[in-house]
Amino acid sequence: MVKESAKPQKKLAFYEAMQMLRHESIRRFVVLSGVRRVGKTTILYQLIDDLTEKGVNPKNILYVSFDNPIFKLINVETALSVYETMYPIEGERYLFFDEIQYTEDWELWMKVIYDSRKDIRLVATGSANPILEKGAADSGTGRWNILKIPTMTFYEYCLILGLEDPVPNVIPPCELHTDFQYLHCGKRA
C-alpha cells in the first residue's frame, strides 16, 4: 500500500523531514503539522518508501494511523508494544504515527520513547496545530522539531505540471508588464 501511496512528486518538506530523520549526529523526532489535505500522510509514505529503497528492512518500520477508529482505542505504548512483540528485531527502528493528536498523552509517550529508546527514529503528523505546539513546548523541546506543511507552493505546482525550470531566470526583477505600460528598469517603453 505504501508504494502506491508514495506519489513521485515530493514537497520540499519531504527533503527536510528526511534530513532530520536520518541525521547522523543530531537525533530529533519530526512532527509534520498542517491543515488537512496538504500532504502530510503522503510525505510519511514517501519517507517509508525512501527508507526501504535504501535498504532498511520493512520489519524495522511501523506505520500507525491514529485516526483509524480501531487505533483511537489504544495509545502509543500499546501500538509499540504489539509491534515489538510481533517483530523482535535489532537495529534502528522507524516509527510513523499519523494523526498523533488522536491518541491520549501522545506528547508524553513521544518524550518517553525519545529519552529511553535510542534505537528509535520517529515521524508523526497532526492536523491540530495548537495541540501540537503545546505538546512541543511542554515535552518536545530538544526532542522533536515541528515542520509546518503549507498548502502547495507555486514552485511545487510547477513541478507537478512538469515545467523544467519553474523559477523564471530571464526576466530581470526590475521589469514589469501591465495592460497599461511596460516598465523596463525604470524607463517607459
Side-chain angles (χ1 to χ4, degrees):
M1 177 185 114
V2 171
K3 190 72 169 167
E4 298 83 41
S5 300
K7 305 209 178 351
Q9 299 86 7
K10 293 180 172 64
K11 292 179 78 83
L12 299 175
F14 162 84
Y15 299 101
E16 191 171 353
M18 182 54 81
Q19 183 178 9
M20 284 187 225
L21 182 66
R22 299 294 303 255
H23 201 283
E24 295 292 326
S25 59
I26 299 173
R27 180 172 165 259
R28 291 279 191 278
F29 291 169
V30 180
V31 177
L32 305 174
S33 171
V35 298
R36 293 196 168 275
R37 308 294 305 158
V38 294
K40 299 180 302 291
T41 301
T42 298
I43 292 172
L44 288 186
Y45 292 148
Q46 290 170 335
L47 292 168
I48 292 167
D49 188 51
D50 192 71
L51 288 171
T52 56
E53 283 182 4
K54 289 181 177 163
V56 173
N57 185 341
K59 290 183 179 181
N60 288 39
I61 298 171
L62 171 66
Y63 170 84
V64 178
S65 177
F66 285 105
D67 67 347
N68 180 311
I70 291 176
F71 288 114
K72 284 183 180 181
L73 301 174
I74 65 172
N75 60 23
V76 172
E77 176 193 27
T78 304
L80 186 57
S81 177
V82 168
Y83 165 66
E84 291 183 329
T85 300
M86 292 176 61
Y87 298 109
I89 50 179
E90 294 182 17
E92 204 160 51
R93 295 179 186 146
Y94 297 89
L95 308 181
F96 295 89
F97 294 149
D98 204 3
E99 298 295 350
I100 191 76
Q101 78 275 1
Y102 287 120
T103 186
E104 191 174 332
D105 297 325
W106 67 268
E107 70 280 4
L108 299 176
W109 283 113
M110 282 181 53
K111 177 187 179 301
V112 167
I113 291 169
Y114 182 90
D115 291 343
S116 65
R117 300 293 304 274
K118 304 300 181 200
D119 63 331
I120 289 180
R121 301 283 182 142
L122 188 145
V123 180
T125 70
S127 297
N129 200 31
I131 293 170
L132 296 175
E133 288 182 6
K134 182 184 181 319
D138 293 347
S139 301
T141 304
R143 293 179 178 92
W144 62 81
N145 293 344
I146 293 182
L147 283 180
K148 294 183 181 182
I149 311 300
T151 56
M152 188 179 304
T153 65
F154 180 71
Y155 177 77
E156 292 165 338
Y157 176 73
C158 291
L159 288 177
I160 288 173
L161 291 178
L163 300 177
E164 290 184 28
D165 189 6
V167 180
N169 59 4
V170 286
I171 302 172
C174 58
E175 288 187 6
L176 173 66
H177 294 273
T178 68
D179 291 338
F180 305 108
Q181 62 187 0
Y182 172 75
L183 297 176
H184 180 72
C185 297
K187 301 175 189 169
R188 271 189 208 277

